[in-house]
Structures are given as C-alpha cells and as structure tokens.
C-alpha cells in the first residue's frame, strides 16, 4: 500500500500542477514563461510541481482580482445561485404562462361566440332549441 501511495501522490501532484500551470493566465505566472514552467513540471515531476505551486503562480494578484474559481467576482457560479440565470428563467416561465393563458382565453372567447350564435339562432327561429320537445313529442339529438 505504501508503494502505491509513493507512486500515486507524486503523480497526482504532477497532474494537478501541470493542469494548473496550463490553465493559469500568462499575467499571473511569475519568474519564468508559462511554457518553461510546464516543461519543468513534466520533466521533473516532484521538484517541478512543488516549485510551480510555491513560486510559479502569483496567487496574491489572482485573489485580489477575485479570479479564483467559485470565489469572488468573475468566478463560475452554479445556475441556482446565479441571479441573472434565475431572472431569465422566471421571464421565460412568465412568457410561457402568458402564452398559455392567451390561448385559453381565445378558446373561451370562441366557445362563447359559438354559444351566443346558437342562442340567437334559437331565438330568431322557432324558439325551440336542441333537446326541447317538439309537437310530435320527439327530441333532437
């Protein structure tokens, strides 16, 4: 188990340091160009990784800008914590509800007009609507 840890810990540290080096903006890299730091981390995994983590990145400037992911301004925010996203989502839902309400209202208006026309025809005709008894005693269906 100890042998495995002696291999996995430096490997994980090297992978982390390399990815951190590659994704760091050039203006936050100190002492050497970013490409040289990446080569140093790849060629000398343990020494290069520790060197990068200690001296390669200007973390104070990065923290002052709020550039650390998930913290401060400029970081990534989950959708349920993002007020802009929630506002857009609420706007979309309100628009969808409004469209559904308008469609329902149009259906009700059409049904109301149809019923009014039916009543007018009944009143202007013989006064007997559907389902009413006629003189012969039959019903309309």
């Amino acid at each position: 188990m100890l042998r495995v840890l002696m291999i996995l810990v430096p490997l994980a540290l090297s992978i982390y340091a390399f990815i951190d080096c590659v994704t760091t903006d050039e203006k936050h890299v100190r002492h050497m160009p970013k490409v040289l730091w990446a080569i140093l981390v790849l060629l000398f995994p343990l020494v290069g990784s520790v060197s990068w983590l200690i001296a390669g990145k200007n973390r104070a400037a990065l923290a002052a800008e709020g550039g650390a992911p998930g913290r401060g301004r400029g970081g990534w925010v989950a959708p349920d914590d993002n007020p802009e996203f929630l506002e857009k989502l609420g706007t979309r839902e309100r628009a969808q509800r409004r469209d559904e309400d308008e469609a329902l209202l149009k259906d009700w208006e059409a049904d109301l007009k149809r019923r009014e026309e039916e009543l007018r025809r009944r009143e202007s005709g013989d006064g007997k609507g559907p389902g009413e008894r006629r003189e012969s005693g039959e019903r309309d269906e």
Side-chain angles (χ1 to χ4, degrees), residues 10-136:
L11 180 66
L13 180 66
S14 301
I15 292 171
Y16 173 77
F18 180 72
I19 291 172
D20 189 40
C21 178
V22 171
T23 58
T24 299
D25 195 9
E26 190 73 41
K27 65 183 179 181
H28 297 296
V29 176
R30 296 189 302 186
H31 306 298
M32 292 189 301
K34 187 162 81 166
V35 174
L36 288 177
W37 277 113
I39 291 171
L40 181 69
V41 169
L42 288 176
L43 290 179
F44 306 102
L46 192 58
V47 174
S49 300
V50 171
S51 299
W52 165 254
L53 293 174
I54 292 173
K57 190 175 187 179
N58 189 357
R59 297 181 194 288
L62 187 63
E65 282 185 14
R71 297 182 200 103
R73 57 194 160 99
W76 182 82
V77 179
D80 57 344
D81 291 335
N82 187 342
E84 294 172 5
F85 175 77
L86 293 174
E87 183 178 322
K88 278 193 258 182
L89 185 63
T91 304
R92 242 186 256 147
E93 287 176 351
R94 282 191 297 272
Q96 185 178 4
R97 255 188 270 128
R98 185 181 59 239
D99 292 344
E100 290 172 356
D101 290 347
E102 287 176 2
L104 186 61
L105 185 61
K106 286 180 183 178
D107 289 345
W108 285 347
E109 287 176 348
D111 187 46
L112 182 62
K113 286 180 183 178
R114 182 186 55 80
R115 289 180 181 193
E116 287 175 345
E117 287 297 319
E118 190 177 297
L119 282 174
R120 282 192 197 111
R121 277 185 295 209
R122 257 194 259 163
E123 290 174 357
S124 66
D126 60 335
K128 296 177 183 169
E132 293 182 17
R133 294 198 181 267
R134 298 188 184 253
E135 291 180 21
S136 62

